[in-house]
Amino acid sequence: MSTTPGKFCLVLHSHLPWLANHGRWPVGEEWLYQSWAASYLPVLRVLRTLADEGRTGLLTLGVTPVLAAQLDDPHCLNGMHHWLGNWQLRAHEAAMQRRHRTLGRREHHLATSALADFETHWRHGASPILRELIDAGTIELLGGPLAHPFQPLLDPRMRAFSLAEGLADAELRWSSRTAGIWAPECGFAPGMERGYQAAGVRHFMVDGPSLRGDTSLGRTVRDSDVVAFGRDLQVSYRVWSPKSGYPGHAAYRDFHTYDHDTGLKAARVTGRNVAGPDKAPYDPELAAAAVRRDVADFVDTVRRRLTSESERIGRPALVVAAFDTELYGHWWHEGPQWLEQVLRALPEAGVTIGTLDDARKEGYVGTPVDLRESSWGSGKDWRVWAGEQVADLVQLNDEVVATALETVDKARAAAKVPGEVELRDRVNDQLLREALLAVSSDWAFMVSKDSAAGYARDRAHLHAHATREIAEAVSSRQVARAQRLAAGWSMADNLFPGLDARRLPDNDSAVP
């Protein structure tokens, strides 16, 4: 097989909002454990397997600070262990029933394998696994801003603080400084590239239309050295498209249809217009054949795209395909199988694969681009996070951030003693922590998409209330009450212990 010109980069973006101790079902920790069991466990198992074979530069993996915190959190680790054990028990009970025997045995095998994997590799969290993959050169990890805010709508000081704290959190967990980030929702506003450069970010992801559809090379943004890599929609949509993506094939396991007796998924997609009760039973052999066919199709798609783009621009081109990690396993049951086979098949077909960091260092960068306002949401603009449907949340976010910044500024100024080192103040830390949790981009997304909108509004208002409550105590000089409230709210979530309000930029030093 002849070598295909250019380079292919696969990027996976892993994110869930902070769910620990905020409900269980239908939205809450169950969401975390389902994604963990179906996606994070098998995807990292695939990467460990390929790393053991000495394969390097396989893909770029984004893990947001808020998800990384949950995958390392003792409460979540214990909850996940229980969840896997419960899955195994449910499968065992199903296998004891004649009409569910085949389904039960299949699920019991999956649950037992997942439980063994978790007990062997995950009991100290995800960070040791990710550090091993980094050290082996298997992956590049992308970090991101703390608590996943939609950055274009965030006060510049809070934006700079969130990014700096997110990068520090990643370095603490993974023992390495991430060169790139996955900006939450791929949200961008002109000027943010200066903030990225000041924070040491070398590259970030945008959606294809942000680069006017020309994603054949990374592009430096205006006069900065920061590179924006664009998602190639022609290749990415081959996998995940509402109308024609691979997961919709008739042979794959249906995500939406449950067997009500067992709570397990027993059906295959069968057809787009086939009702749940009428769907055919899942057949792993049919699914495996579909995986092989879709792997071959994807490899052919990438080869043709690299060839055509290289010819068009007159030099070796870059193709970047990017997806949510949760697609692989959670939404698309066979996704991890497909992923492993694709990562083997692409090099065998003469396609050079690598990470975004590889692509930047190897010169897959074109002329500067005047990047405009954008996201990877509906319309590729900001409507999901700034539209009329979430106008109240936009106002809430502005008020909460302003309250937190004003209160912390006054508290720090009052406590300042000339010539002495500023001491850490846990109350200030918690004010900023709660404000960042309140402005998570997930809440507006869930409201705009009418996906557990009530839960999303409740979460935004809960953290806004915590911010206001602590701020009121500080402003009224009730020191003991402020400390008690801050400690209580901190204990309720127990995340981002490294956040330090002393690192909040001054008014005159924040980068736009």
Side-chain angles (χ1 to χ4, degrees):
M1 184 72 68
S2 60
T3 300
T4 305
K7 178 181 286 288
F8 172 74
C9 294
L10 178 63
V11 183
L12 299 182
H13 169 56
S14 319
H15 172 66
L16 286 175
W18 182 258
L19 301 166
N21 295 307
H22 288 282
R24 184 66 184 257
W25 175 266
V27 183
E29 290 184 25
E30 181 74 15
W31 187 7
L32 170 65
Y33 301 143
Q34 286 185 6
S35 298
W36 201 335
S39 292
Y40 310 140
L41 275 172
V43 166
L44 289 185
R45 187 188 306 133
V46 165
L47 294 174
R48 290 201 317 271
T49 297
L50 297 175
D52 289 344
E53 297 174 4
R55 297 174 184 263
T56 59
L58 295 179
L59 55 78
T60 299
L61 179 65
V63 181
T64 63
V66 71
L67 177 60
Q70 290 178 101
L71 298 182
D72 284 344
D73 182 74
H75 169 81
C76 294
L77 288 164
N78 186 57
M80 182 60 185
H81 193 232
H82 280 281
W83 193 95
L84 291 171
N86 182 261
W87 176 23
Q88 187 183 49
L89 286 174
R90 287 188 292 120
H92 179 75
E93 290 173 357
M96 298 298 289
Q97 304 172 41
R98 180 174 297 177
R99 63 190 297 260
H100 298 305
R101 186 164 298 159
T102 300
L103 169 63
R105 287 176 174 174
R106 182 171 66 242
E107 287 286 322
H108 191 272
H109 172 75
L110 292 173
T112 301
S113 175
L115 190 57
D117 185 10
F118 184 81
E119 291 178 342
T120 303
H121 299 284
W122 284 80
R123 295 303 277 167
H124 297 290
S127 288
I129 302 171
L130 294 172
R131 285 198 297 268
E132 288 181 0
L133 293 171
I134 296 170
D135 292 344
T138 307
I139 62 171
E140 173 197 0
L141 268 173
L142 300 181
L146 212 61
H148 210 258
F150 189 72
Q151 295 181 108
L153 299 178
L154 197 58
D155 177 277
R157 293 177 68 206
M158 190 66 95
R159 182 196 303 161
F161 179 73
S162 175
L163 177 59
E165 293 299 298
L167 294 173
D169 185 80
E171 187 169 11
L172 181 65
R173 292 184 192 280
W174 305 329
S175 300
S176 63
R177 187 80 172 176
T178 58
I181 65 167
W182 182 288
E185 320 296 358
C186 293
F188 183 82
M192 281 174 52
E193 73 280 359
R194 298 198 297 276
Y196 287 163
Q197 183 155 314
V201 173
R202 304 297 303 276
H203 53 270
F204 65 104
M205 281 292 303
V206 296
D207 211 359
S210 303
L211 298 180
R212 300 173 180 84
D214 187 355
T215 58
S216 57
L217 294 168
R219 307 284 290 279
T220 52
V221 182
R222 296 184 180 82
D223 58 354
S224 75
D225 295 325
V226 183
V227 177
F229 288 106
R231 184 172 66 137
D232 187 308
L233 296 189
Q234 181 172 316
V235 174
S236 298
Y237 282 174
R238 193 70 178 172
V239 178
W240 186 234
S241 162
K243 296 181 179 179
S244 58
Y246 298 147
H249 188 275
Y252 290 138
R253 197 178 79 173
D254 188 72
F255 173 80
H256 301 282
T257 305
Y258 284 85
D259 175 81
H260 292 291
D261 291 340
T262 64
L264 304 174
K265 296 177 181 178
R268 60 178 184 259
V269 173
T270 310
R272 292 187 178 276
N273 299 316
V274 179
D278 300 325
K279 290 183 181 292
Y282 180 67
D283 185 335
E285 292 186 5
L286 286 179
V291 168
R292 291 191 294 271
R293 186 202 63 247
D294 288 339
V295 166
D297 178 80
F298 187 76
V299 170
D300 183 59
T301 298
V302 170
R303 293 188 71 223
R304 286 187 285 106
R305 182 67 167 165
L306 280 170
T307 299
S308 64
E309 286 294 271
S310 296
E311 292 175 351
R312 182 180 66 82
I313 67 175
R315 56 174 287 189
L318 177 71
V319 166
V320 178
F323 312 95
D324 286 331
T325 304
E326 295 77 21
L327 169 64
Y328 294 90
H330 180 59
W331 297 103
W332 179 20
H333 176 66
E334 297 79 9
Q337 300 174 43
W338 180 92
L339 179 66
E340 181 172 357
Q341 292 182 36
V342 153
L343 292 175
R344 294 182 189 279
L346 283 166
E348 292 172 359
V351 175
T352 301
I353 64 175
T355 67
L356 296 181
D357 198 42
D358 293 335
R360 178 177 55 80
K361 291 176 177 177
E362 293 168 12
Y364 284 92
V365 180
T367 57
V369 62
D370 184 21
L371 197 61
R372 309 309 303 171
E373 296 88 350
S374 58
S375 78
W376 77 335
S378 301
K380 308 306 179 184
D381 53 24
W382 299 351
R383 69 186 67 176
V384 172
W385 301 275
E388 183 177 347
Q389 194 171 0
V390 292
D392 61 318
L393 290 182
V394 174
Q395 181 178 352
L396 178 73
N397 291 350
D398 289 344
E399 292 173 355
V400 166
V401 168
T403 296
L405 292 177
E406 180 181 359
T407 305
V408 170
D409 284 345
K410 289 181 178 179
R412 293 179 67 195
K416 187 175 182 179
V417 177
E420 293 190 10
V421 175
E422 180 182 4
L423 300 179
R424 187 171 184 181
D425 189 320
R426 302 291 181 177
V427 174
N428 290 340
D429 294 350
Q430 192 61 28
L431 274 166
L432 297 178
R433 187 179 290 114
E434 291 293 343
L436 285 171
L437 287 170
V439 303
S440 167
S441 73
D442 299 278
W443 314 140
F445 178 88
M446 292 165 71
V447 171
S448 291
K449 296 298 182 179
D450 195 23
S451 170
Y455 177 90
R457 287 189 186 279
D458 287 346
R459 287 294 306 278
H461 282 278
L462 174 69
H463 297 296
H465 166 73
T467 307
R468 291 166 174 157
E469 185 177 47
I470 300 170
E472 188 276 331
V474 172
S475 299
S476 59
R477 299 183 181 178
Q478 300 177 59
V479 177
R481 180 169 178 263
Q483 292 173 340
R484 185 169 60 253
L485 287 170
W489 284 111
S490 176
M491 187 179 298
D493 286 312
N494 191 34
L495 80 163
F496 303 144
L499 182 151
D500 191 336
R502 293 175 296 181
R503 294 195 287 260
L504 178 69
D506 295 331
N507 268 309
D508 56 354
S509 63
V511 179

